């Protein structure tokens, strides 16, 4: 091996010893960074294992996508329940306001409750939008990392041809 740092050697030993089971995106990045320093037969053995690694990463990304979908669906169900509850409050307040025997003070009280319900709906809507934005950002970062790893592997393989 040519000029490997102690950390690079340890990572390489760990990866070879484990036969690439449970490899992470960080592991792949480390492999790519040291391929040029390895003896040709070791580098060829590592590159030969890359399709399995990429397949594993793709499976991980699919699992992540499913988790994000389930999280969004759960959040939407929660939102619907909140909206229904607030709509019931609004409906009940409207009914009380339109009753003939409701005093001005009572009407004012019901109007305040309606304003509070509207604010809670707006806050919940903002919370949902922020959650979706964070989920989308996380998903896109994951895809970008996967794309970077695959691109690195392809570029390295092209250089070695």
């Amino acid at each position: 091996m040519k000029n490997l740092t102690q950390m690079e050697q340890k990572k390489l030993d760990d990866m070879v010893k484990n036969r690439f089971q449970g490899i992470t995106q960080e592991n792949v990045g480390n492999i790519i960074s040291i391929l040029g320093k390895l003896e040709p037969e070791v580098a060829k053995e590592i590159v030969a294992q890359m399709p399995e690694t990429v397949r594993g990463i793709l499976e991980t990304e699919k699992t992540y996508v499913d988790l994000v979908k389930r999280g969004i669906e759960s959040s939407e169900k929660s939102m619907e329940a909140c909206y229904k509850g607030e709509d019931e409050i609004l409906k009940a307040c409207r009914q009380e306001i339109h009753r003939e025997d409701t005093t001005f003070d009572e009407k004012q009280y019901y109007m305040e409750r309606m304003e509070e319900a509207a604010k809670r709906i707006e806050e919940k809507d903002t919370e949902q939008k922020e959650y979706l934005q964070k989920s989308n950002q996380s998903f896109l970062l994951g895809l970008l990392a996967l794309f970077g790893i695959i691109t690195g592997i392809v570029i390295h393989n092209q250089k070695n041809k």
Side-chain angles (χ1 to χ4, degrees), residues 52-64:
E52 281 183 46
T53 302
V54 171
R55 198 170 12 264
I57 293 170
L58 288 173
E59 288 176 21
T60 301
E61 291 295 327
K62 286 179 188 176
T63 302
Y64 179 72

Side-chain angles (χ1 to χ4, degrees), residues 86-99:
E86 297 298 340
D87 284 344
E88 290 297 318
I89 292 170
L90 291 171
K91 184 178 176 181
C93 288
R94 276 191 210 104
Q95 288 175 344
E96 292 299 316
I97 287 172
H98 293 299
R99 284 186 24 200

Side-chain angles (χ1 to χ4, degrees), residues 107-121:
K107 287 182 181 185
Q108 191 172 12
Y109 170 80
Y110 292 123
M111 288 296 291
E112 288 171 1
R113 298 297 79 76
M114 290 172 70
E115 286 177 19
E116 290 170 4
K119 285 180 185 176
R120 286 189 300 268
I121 290 171

Side-chain angles (χ1 to χ4, degrees), residues 13-22:
D13 291 342
D14 288 345
M15 286 181 255
V16 171
K17 187 175 7 177
N18 292 331
R19 296 191 181 273
F20 292 92
Q21 293 175 353

